[in-house]
Amino acid sequence: MSFRLRTTLLLSILFSSCNAVTIYTTLASGYATTSAAYPISSNGAYNQEVLSPPTPPTGLSQQWAAKIQPANTLANLSISHKGNFIGFSVELSVVGQVLGVNSSFLQPPFLNHLANIKERAGAGPIVRIGGNTQDQAIMYNKTFLDGDDPQMISKYQPTVNGNPTGTPEVDFAVELFYAMGNITKLLNVDWYFGLQFINPYNNTNALEAATIIQEVLGDHLISLQLGNEPDLYADHKKRPSNYSIQDYFSEYVYYLSSLDASGAPNKKTILGPSVATGPWSCQDLINAGYLTEFQNYLNVWGLMHYPSENCPGLQSMTSQQVLPTFLTHSSALAYSAEFAPIVPEVMAAGLPIVILETNTASCGGFPGLSDAFTSSLWAIASRDSSDNALMLAATNISTFLLHVGGHGENYNPFTPPPTNISSTYGWTTGAVYYAALAVAETFGSSNASQIVDMNLPSEFRPGYAIYEDGLPTRVALINYASDDTGASDYDAVIQIAGTTVPNHVNVRYLSAPSVSEKYNITWAGQTMGGQFESDGRLQGTQETKTIECDQANNQCIVPMRAPSFALVFLTDDAMARSTTPQGSASLTFATTATTDDRLMIAPSVLAKMNGSGGPVNTRPVGNTGKSQSSAGISRSSFTPVLNLLCGVIMGCLLVLV
């Protein structure tokens, strides 16, 4: 089976004389049988490795009590969370493939993946643009040419690069900010953006970028990340080997004083300290005075963390060996120990705490694990593996962003096809993406969901209770065992202390045949499809199981097959706050749609900009995309021709749709 996907997304925002944003797409009709094999490669995103599931635990009861306590008795009930708790961190070097070619050619599958979250969360998705490739990125005021399409990204592989992640270096055009603005107009997306910090004493270009992106995105820009993983700068050869916290502070002071003198409309828009919880701990930075010295600029406390290392030379275990550690709810809170002690102090300073970049393992993750159902369960809740959404939410972390890289990464939530087959094959939705759907429904659209770990006694069967306005509304349950015999299935017996259970509950399951399954994964009976088969929309009919409760004995019995995640709705209203219109996303991008007037920055801002002019690029190509030259074509240079063609093209669109 192959999914023949032909999409073109044309937005007339590029045309200065056109007042509407029009999306035009053509999509082949569903799945078509073909004798041609998929173009399987050895790249991480398309690896064919399948691991052996761990041996199931033994000696566990087939009934398991999950008792919900009154909210007013819980000292550790979390802060209120939104359904967009899980978002996405997109590496700067791949935005041309993931977001789109430019502001007028966006990727419908990317929009659909985000729309799924928005419809469940009742809030715009959260996306960060940055990563290792941000630190040396230069902004240009002209686009780059590749064939007939103006591009917003140009990248190249440096001849010397001490970074073990092997990422390329990147130039980007102001056009990227327009693309982000158009996506926001469509889906209400909020953004983090990473500024370059390779030479903070020569920061004119970065300050111009800070000014322009604020003008373009306005309140939809949450924060600007200043530097990426500075605690690893020495290891990655970006600074001298003796680079210290005090050196970092000196650079920060100079940069922020320059920000004060710049035209940036909002100075209190910095995310920091952006450490990787490596050589420097969060506590080290607080002890050195980071919070007090920079409090007038910080609006978010952000950090990056991967629970496991898989960079060249740093691997300690194979995928098969590390697999069992991702499938428990151990009482050893290795991850929380990194920053839990500083959470009260940071919150007291009025700063939300964000995991700006994470996934199953550094440098693309583990083949056969990061792209399998194991990653779905890990991203929802798995203490022993450190990073996970529900546990982090329970410890007052406010956002959790899954990293998206190139075709060489195993862990991508979604991956566009290689360029040479992009007109024939669809995207590949990764297993970890399903966690974002499940967590969006777990918190729902009230923006008032609080969560607590129920501390159930088995590390293989964790549970969480979710409250809204002081009342329990949902229960989240997991069975980590991978066992197709049925011997590891169990019944969760839900009880409510101080009152009785409802007469029924509704349940949605995230399930797969085993923890090693890559594509046969369903959330509430729906799937994103197999390799090269996704357009970002869920396929199939949504399934919700209604279970009658025993009110006389104050219990609702919820079957938990191995492996699976279950979201139990204690009220019909709670389920309604987690349900998309007609059970599927109403905001999909396979048909024509129109938004309002185009979004643009003030001409006065562009007039004052001194960004680089985009010389011809003769440098070697980076390893995450095709060659792109940077023949300087500015937005304004399109205007005379586009003004002439605008009416013709708009007429063509009307005929085509």
Side-chain angles (χ1 to χ4, degrees), residues 174-208:
V174 176
E175 184 77 6
L176 171 59
F177 300 155
Y178 284 88
M180 294 163 67
N182 286 350
I183 292 169
T184 289
K185 289 174 74 68
L186 294 168
L187 292 168
N188 205 34
V189 174
D190 290 328
W191 303 87
Y192 293 96
F193 187 80
L195 297 171
Q196 61 132 311
F197 201 63
I198 192 63
N199 186 356
Y201 300 108
N202 182 13
N203 55 27
T204 302
N205 189 268
L207 293 173
E208 289 171 344

Side-chain angles (χ1 to χ4, degrees), residues 10-206:
L10 302 175
L11 287 84
S12 63
I13 191 170
L14 184 65
F15 301 36
S16 63
S17 63
C18 299
N19 294 322
V21 177
T22 301
I23 305 166
Y24 171 67
T25 70
T26 57
L27 184 68
S29 56
Y31 293 87
T33 302
T34 177
S35 58
Y38 286 133
I40 301 301
S41 72
S42 60
N43 282 339
Y46 311 116
N47 81 81
Q48 300 300 298
E49 185 167 349
V50 178
L51 305 180
S52 299
T55 302
T58 58
L60 297 178
S61 170
Q62 290 192 314
Q63 276 206 339
W64 210 255
K67 194 167 188 177
I68 303 169
Q69 301 298 327
N72 59 10
T73 67
L74 299 171
N76 57 342
L77 195 61
S78 77
I79 60 174
S80 295
H81 291 292
K82 296 182 179 181
N84 61 1
F85 183 86
I86 291 185
F88 306 101
S89 164
V90 180
E91 187 68 39
L92 176 62
S93 60
V94 301
V95 296
Q97 290 78 43
V98 176
L99 275 65
V101 175
N102 52 52
S103 67
S104 301
F105 192 152
L106 302 177
Q107 289 281 13
F110 176 67
L111 300 178
N112 287 335
H113 279 99
L114 296 186
N116 293 331
I117 307 302
K118 181 181 186 297
E119 291 297 283
R120 288 161 172 78
I126 297 174
V127 179
R128 173 252 191 155
I129 305 296
N132 284 311
T133 51
Q134 80 182 52
D135 264 327
Q136 292 169 277
I138 302 298
M139 181 188 70
Y140 287 77
N141 63 0
K142 298 181 180 181
T143 52
F144 314 102
L145 276 187
D146 185 353
D148 295 328
D149 295 321
Q151 309 275 323
M152 57 190 183
I153 289 289
S154 177
K155 53 194 171 186
Y156 64 98
Q157 195 67 39
T159 54
V160 178
N161 188 340
N163 192 334
T165 62
T167 49
E169 294 183 8
V170 174
D171 298 329
F172 68 93
V174 176
E175 184 77 6
L176 171 59
F177 300 155
Y178 284 88
M180 294 163 67
N182 286 350
I183 292 169
T184 289
K185 289 174 74 68
L186 294 168
L187 292 168
N188 205 34
V189 174
D190 290 328
W191 303 87
Y192 293 96
F193 187 80
L195 297 171
Q196 61 132 311
F197 201 63
I198 192 63
N199 186 356
Y201 300 108
N202 182 13
N203 55 27
T204 302
N205 189 268

Side-chain angles (χ1 to χ4, degrees), residues 577-599:
R577 290 191 294 274
S578 296
T579 302
T580 64
Q582 292 81 46
S584 61
S586 63
L587 288 173
T588 58
F589 296 89
T591 55
T592 300
T594 301
T595 68
D596 57 355
D597 290 350
R598 66 193 183 102
L599 182 148

Side-chain angles (χ1 to χ4, degrees), residues 370-562:
S370 301
D371 53 345
F373 190 56
T374 293
S375 68
S376 309
L377 298 178
W378 161 80
I380 294 172
S382 175
R383 280 183 176 176
D384 194 51
S385 302
S386 312
D387 274 319
N388 62 91
L390 298 188
M391 186 275 286
L392 291 174
T395 55
N396 292 328
I397 303 304
S398 65
T399 306
F400 174 80
L401 302 182
L402 294 168
H403 200 52
V404 182
H407 295 119
E409 322 299 345
N410 302 290
Y411 56 40
N412 289 338
F414 34 76
T415 307
T419 304
N420 61 341
I421 62 168
S422 60
S423 64
T424 305
Y425 292 93
W427 285 36
T428 299
T429 300
V432 74
Y433 175 78
Y434 289 87
L437 297 176
V439 170
E441 294 196 24
T442 298
F443 290 134
S445 59
S446 70
N447 299 331
S449 293
Q450 296 175 274
I451 188 170
V452 67
D453 187 345
M454 298 177 76
N455 288 316
L456 302 182
S458 172
E459 63 181 354
F460 300 104
R461 298 173 177 178
Y464 295 85
I466 295 89
Y467 299 76
E468 293 171 294
D469 299 322
L471 298 175
T473 56
R474 302 172 186 86
V475 176
L477 301 166
I478 296 179
N479 187 349
Y480 282 121
S482 190
D483 185 354
D484 59 6
T485 69
S488 299
D489 296 354
Y490 74 95
D491 289 335
V493 182
I494 296 176
Q495 299 176 310
I496 303 179
T499 184
T500 188
V501 295
N503 59 13
H504 73 277
V505 294
N506 295 301
V507 186
R508 290 176 183 159
Y509 289 98
L510 178 63
S511 60
S514 83
V515 295
S516 299
E517 176 59 46
K518 296 192 176 188
Y519 303 114
N520 186 15
I521 301 170
T522 58
W523 168 241
Q526 295 179 301
T527 182
M528 299 298 294
Q531 192 175 72
F532 300 118
E533 292 183 349
S534 176
D535 69 351
R537 296 179 295 177
L538 285 158
Q539 305 160 20
T541 303
Q542 186 179 72
E543 296 177 0
T544 304
K545 299 185 182 299
T546 299
I547 297 175
E548 300 300 320
C549 297
D550 181 354
Q551 291 185 302
N553 292 303
N554 189 27
Q555 62 183 27
C556 303
I557 298 176
V558 177
M560 292 293 299
R561 69 173 300 276

Side-chain angles (χ1 to χ4, degrees), residues 350-365:
L351 300 178
I353 303 172
V354 169
I355 307 301
L356 193 67
E357 176 183 326
T358 190
N359 215 303
T360 44
S362 60
C363 292

Side-chain angles (χ1 to χ4, degrees), residues 195-253:
L195 297 171
Q196 61 132 311
F197 201 63
I198 192 63
N199 186 356
Y201 300 108
N202 182 13
N203 55 27
T204 302
N205 189 268
L207 293 173
E208 289 171 344
T211 299
I212 294 171
I213 194 172
Q214 288 187 48
E215 292 286 346
V216 172
L217 296 180
D219 291 342
H220 288 282
L221 176 67
I222 302 173
S223 197
L224 292 167
Q225 179 196 3
L226 188 54
N228 186 72
E229 301 177 340
D231 52 332
L232 299 180
Y233 277 178
D235 290 343
H236 291 179
K237 314 302 182 187
K238 295 180 178 180
R239 296 291 193 277
S241 59
N242 61 348
Y243 185 70
S244 67
I245 289 177
Q246 288 307 318
D247 293 328
Y248 174 58
F249 277 27
S250 296
E251 293 174 349
Y252 229 69
V253 168

